[in-house]
């Protein structure tokens, strides 16, 4: 029977994988996908703690996190479409307008 | 054991997501990762979360990603190294992520306390979640709906074509009209 610590270690590993994706990849869509991995790791932590404490709040906050993730994905992808239209590239290194 | 099966699947598919150069494979692998996480939610006595994970995340959000990837048809990520830093950002980023994993494991297990099995009592009924959502968390629920509305308007405004040209055309029409007078 897996304990709470098993789930917490798994979510820590998943969160670190998402962070590594943001650090390593140079493609805006993959970076957004890495953010989704991180959000899911946090969701897993909430559900595991909610199960350990016997309360439904852990599942309710997951509901809100998924809603915010949907809003973030919609706005982020709209920004990516607008950027791709101007630069014909998804590499964040090419977006240097605000750099001095 | 089911937990280790789902956990291995989630970790392996997530690693493959960030190892791909082609974003389409990344999106498809992330859907597999969400399926494994949904299985973990079932093991945690949270069937409601498992179902909305599949329906909303894998069904709606990932289809949005896939749609954008196929709409833009972006080239696969360039293999050449960064012109200033070479391969160092990748190595340093991976090392920092491993460091973060160690730190998070230490912090979460120190806070988790007892490592025994879960207590018998669990809240898994959808009715209980719905009752809480519309009584104690009704205000947050309404704020979330406003957030969705704002995000929808923002997405239409940002991605809509000619959103910057319309004012110019309108002013051009105005000057033509003024000249005509």
């Amino acid at each position: 029977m897996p304990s709470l610590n098993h789930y917490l270690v798994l979510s820590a590993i998943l969160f670190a994988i998402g962070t590594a994706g943001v650090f390593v990849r140079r493609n805006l869509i993959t970076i957004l996908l890495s953010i989704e991995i991180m959000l899911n790791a946090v969701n897993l932590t909430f559900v595991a703690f909610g199960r350990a404490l016997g309360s439904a709040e852990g599942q309710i906050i997951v509901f809100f996190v998924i809603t915010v993730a949907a809003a973030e994905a919609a706005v982020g992808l709209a920004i990516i479409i607008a950027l791709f239209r101007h630069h014909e590239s998804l590499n964040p290194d090419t977006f240097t307008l605000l750099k001095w | 054991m089911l937990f280790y099966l789902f956990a291995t699947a989630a970790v392996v598919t997530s690693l493959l997501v960030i190892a791909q150069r082609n974003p389409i494979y990344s999106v498809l692998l992330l859907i597999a990762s969400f399926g494994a996480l949904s299985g973990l939610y079932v093991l945690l006595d949270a069937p409601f979360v498992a179902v909305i994970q599949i329906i909303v995340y894998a069904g709606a959000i990932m289809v949005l990603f896939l749609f954008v990837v196929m709409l833009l048809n972006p080239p696969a990520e360039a293999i050449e190294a960064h012109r200033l830093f070479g391969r160092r950002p990748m190595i340093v980023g991976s090392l920092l992520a491993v460091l973060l994993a160690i730190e998070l494991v230490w912090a979460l297990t120190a806070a988790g306390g007892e490592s025994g099995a879960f207590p018998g009592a669990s809240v898994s009924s959808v009715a209980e979640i719905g009752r809480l959502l519309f009584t104690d968390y009704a205000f947050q629920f309404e704020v979330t709906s406003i957030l969705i509305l704002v995000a929808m308007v923002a997405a239409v405004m940002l991605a809509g074509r000619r959103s910057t040209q319309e004012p110019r055309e309108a002013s051009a029409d105005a000057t033509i009209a003024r000249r005509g007078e």
Side-chain angles (χ1 to χ4, degrees), chain B residues 1-168:
Chain B
M1 193 166 217
L2 273 177
F3 170 79
Y4 291 105
L5 182 73
F6 287 133
T8 315
V11 170
V12 168
T13 47
S14 300
L15 274 175
L16 285 173
V17 166
I18 67 165
Q20 295 293 326
R21 293 196 184 281
N22 191 338
I24 287 190
Y25 296 146
S26 291
V27 175
L28 292 176
L29 283 164
L30 194 57
I31 292 175
S33 168
F34 287 165
L37 274 172
S38 169
L40 286 172
Y41 292 145
V42 172
L43 290 183
L44 280 169
D45 277 339
F48 174 68
V49 177
V51 167
I52 60 171
Q53 174 87 11
I54 292 291
I55 293 177
V56 178
Y57 245 125
I61 300 181
M62 283 304 117
V63 168
L64 188 66
F65 270 93
L66 208 55
F67 179 77
V68 169
V69 171
M70 293 191 173
L71 180 76
L72 297 182
N73 196 14
E77 201 174 321
I79 304 177
E80 78 260 24
H82 192 276
R83 55 191 144 72
L84 201 55
F85 301 114
R87 293 236 166 260
R88 262 172 286 169
M90 278 188 147
I91 298 163
V92 175
S94 311
L95 282 178
L96 281 176
V98 171
L99 207 65
L100 180 72
I102 294 166
E103 188 182 335
L104 280 176
V105 166
W106 174 76
L108 284 173
T109 49
E114 84 281 10
S115 59
F118 289 116
S122 71
V123 186
S124 61
S125 81
V126 180
E128 174 66 15
I129 293 167
R131 196 193 59 75
L132 271 174
L133 208 54
F134 286 103
T135 53
D136 292 358
Y137 295 93
F139 177 70
Q140 288 88 331
F141 187 82
E142 297 300 331
V143 170
T144 311
S145 58
I146 293 174
L147 174 79
I148 288 284
L149 182 69
V150 170
M152 196 172 72
V153 173
V156 170
M157 224 212 80
L158 281 171
R161 206 170 260 283
R162 278 176 220 279
S163 59
T164 55
Q165 287 173 3
E166 270 164 11
R168 220 176 293 152

Side-chain angles (χ1 to χ4, degrees), chain A residues 1 3 6-7 10 14 16 19-20 23 25-27 36 40 43 51-52 54 57 59-60 64 67 69 85 90 93, chain B residues 1 4 14 18 20 34 40-41 44 53 57 74 77 82 93 100-101 115-116 119 121 123 129 132 137 144 159:
Chain A
M1 186 74 192
S3 68
H6 286 77
Y7 288 98
L10 174 63
L14 284 178
T19 322
F23 283 151
R25 291 280 74 152
R26 276 185 281 137
N27 181 330
E36 301 289 333
N40 270 282
N43 280 352
R51 173 72 180 85
E57 263 91 1
Q59 298 179 46
I60 283 167
F64 290 128
T67 320
R85 208 176 272 157
L90 289 180
D93 289 339
Chain B
M1 193 166 217
Y4 291 105
S14 300
I18 67 165
Q20 295 293 326
F34 287 165
L40 286 172
Y41 292 145
L44 280 169
Q53 174 87 11
Y57 245 125
E77 201 174 321
H82 192 276
L100 180 72
S115 59
V123 186
I129 293 167
L132 271 174
Y137 295 93
T144 311

